[in-house]
Amino acid sequence: MEVKTEVKNVVPGKAKRKVEGRSLWMDAWLRLKKNKSAMFGMALVIVICLAAILAPYITRYDPYDQLIWKEGASAKLAPPSATHWFGTDIYGRDIYTRVVYGARISLQIGFAATGISVIIGVILGSLAGYYGGFIDDIISWLTNVIFAFPFLLFVLALVAYLPPSLPLMYMSIGIISWASFARVARGQVIQVKEMEYVEAATAVGGGDWRIIFKHILPNILAPIIVQATLEVGSIIMLESSLSFLGFGVQPPKPAWGYMINEGRQFFLSGQWWWSVFPGFAIMALVLGFNLFGDGLRDALDPRLKQ
């Protein structure tokens, strides 16, 4: 008895074609969306960033306005209420307004200092990894010196002996926090420079700088982006610590660390809101960057692709 078998052409489905055609970044984004903690962290960062940008539209007061001259003595150390959501300080300034405007300062220092660190660290790390030899020894020694020296003490020394200003703050932090980026870039360049496309670019006469910036750096961006995301949170914590100690952003600017320092002497007497709400703001922003950075690291790790 003859059995007829119908042979059908197997055509890859749309889903399979889409998976094969996805880029690295799209694939990473799809994995990142499945990470609930990373999405929660990203939401925290986005909300705080939007609050900082839209500060004049979501607050009713000026961050420097002393309301005791308008509302009388009742505006002094007023507890949280419908009028003042986070209460007021001893000068009658609205704490909610100062917390929102303080996000601008923290984010500005965090992003600017991280940008400076990325530029310095990636350039030095790329040179060390690409050339090796004496250049690698010098840059690696300098990186180890930066790691060995107490980070906070180094920043305090720079800030204490120079006139305080916002640009000085993020430049000082950025100049001495590049070592982690240099170490990441160096390790990645050592791996990538042995790839065939780099050897091909060298064979056709490509210059060293062209090979580094056009062929190598675009392929090592993933770990650098992850490191930068985590570094922003660390720098915000450092800036808050410096402001708390009185070496950071100077009053009357609404720096979160300085607000905590101002309100700590009233905490035990019952006026807890002056210190607690800026502390919660620091915690939320740093937590958001850390959760998002951890999720981004997992999403960009090719070993977790399956």
Side-chain angles (χ1 to χ4, degrees), residues 10 34 61 66 72-73 86 91 107 113 128 130 135 154 187 193 227 238 240 248 263 272 277 280 289-290:
V10 180
K34 299 178 181 179
Y61 304 100
Q66 300 183 11
F86 292 176
Y91 306 105
L107 288 170
Y130 186 79
I135 296 178
F154 204 167
K193 74 176 183 178
Q227 181 66 29
L238 177 61
S240 300
W272 51 268
F277 286 113
F280 274 131
F289 275 111
N290 288 342

Side-chain angles (χ1 to χ4, degrees), residues 167-219:
L168 173 65
M169 173 67 67
Y170 56 72
M171 288 182 65
S172 300
I173 297 175
I175 288 173
I176 64 174
S177 59
W178 54 265
S180 59
F181 293 99
R183 182 163 291 181
V184 171
R186 175 184 176 274
Q188 293 294 317
V189 170
I190 290 176
Q191 296 179 8
V192 172
K193 74 176 183 178
E194 304 296 335
M195 298 293 182
E196 294 180 355
Y197 62 87
V198 177
E199 295 178 356
T202 305
V204 297
D208 292 342
W209 286 97
R210 180 181 176 85
I211 293 173
I212 291 174
F213 286 99
K214 186 175 181 180
H215 299 286
I216 294 180
L217 286 184
N219 290 283

Side-chain angles (χ1 to χ4, degrees), residues 58-298:
I58 62 175
T59 58
R60 294 182 292 176
Y61 304 100
D62 187 273
Y64 308 104
D65 194 5
Q66 300 183 11
L67 300 177
I68 55 176
W69 302 106
K70 298 179 181 179
E71 302 179 9
S74 61
K76 179 179 178 180
L77 288 175
S81 62
T83 305
H84 304 289
W85 293 350
F86 292 176
T88 61
D89 59 18
I90 196 172
Y91 306 105
R93 297 174 298 193
D94 185 69
I95 294 177
Y96 166 72
T97 301
R98 291 180 63 79
V99 167
V100 172
Y101 276 89
R104 288 185 168 186
I105 295 176
S106 295
L107 288 170
Q108 181 180 349
I109 294 176
F111 287 130
T114 302
I116 295 173
S117 302
V118 168
I119 293 173
I120 298 174
V122 170
I123 291 177
L124 292 179
S126 299
L127 293 177
Y130 186 79
Y131 289 106
F134 179 73
I135 296 178
D136 186 16
D137 293 338
I138 293 296
I139 296 177
S140 297
W141 175 83
L142 187 59
T143 302
N144 292 331
V145 170
I146 295 294
F147 275 119
F149 200 86
F151 189 75
L152 183 59
L153 184 60
F154 204 167
V155 178
L156 284 174
L158 288 176
V159 175
Y161 290 99
L162 294 174
S165 65
L166 199 59
L168 173 65
M169 173 67 67
Y170 56 72
M171 288 182 65
S172 300
I173 297 175
I175 288 173
I176 64 174
S177 59
W178 54 265
S180 59
F181 293 99
R183 182 163 291 181
V184 171
R186 175 184 176 274
Q188 293 294 317
V189 170
I190 290 176
Q191 296 179 8
V192 172
K193 74 176 183 178
E194 304 296 335
M195 298 293 182
E196 294 180 355
Y197 62 87
V198 177
E199 295 178 356
T202 305
V204 297
D208 292 342
W209 286 97
R210 180 181 176 85
I211 293 173
I212 291 174
F213 286 99
K214 186 175 181 180
H215 299 286
I216 294 180
L217 286 184
N219 290 283
I220 65 172
L221 283 179
I224 293 174
I225 291 174
V226 172
Q227 181 66 29
T229 306
L230 297 171
E231 189 71 16
V232 173
S234 300
I235 289 177
I236 290 173
M237 280 292 296
L238 177 61
E239 179 272 327
S240 300
S241 301
L242 292 172
S243 298
F244 180 84
L245 296 173
F247 293 96
V249 180
Q250 298 300 305
K253 291 183 178 179
W256 287 343
Y258 191 80
M259 291 172 65
I260 296 174
N261 186 30
E262 285 183 312
R264 65 186 176 90
Q265 56 185 325
F266 299 95
F267 186 85
L268 295 179
S269 59
Q271 289 80 21
W272 51 268
W273 51 88
W274 194 351
S275 294
V276 168
F277 286 113
F280 274 131
I282 296 172
M283 182 190 70
L285 187 55
V286 174
L287 178 65
F289 275 111
N290 288 342
L291 290 177
F292 179 60
D294 287 339
L296 197 60
R297 178 176 55 196
D298 294 340

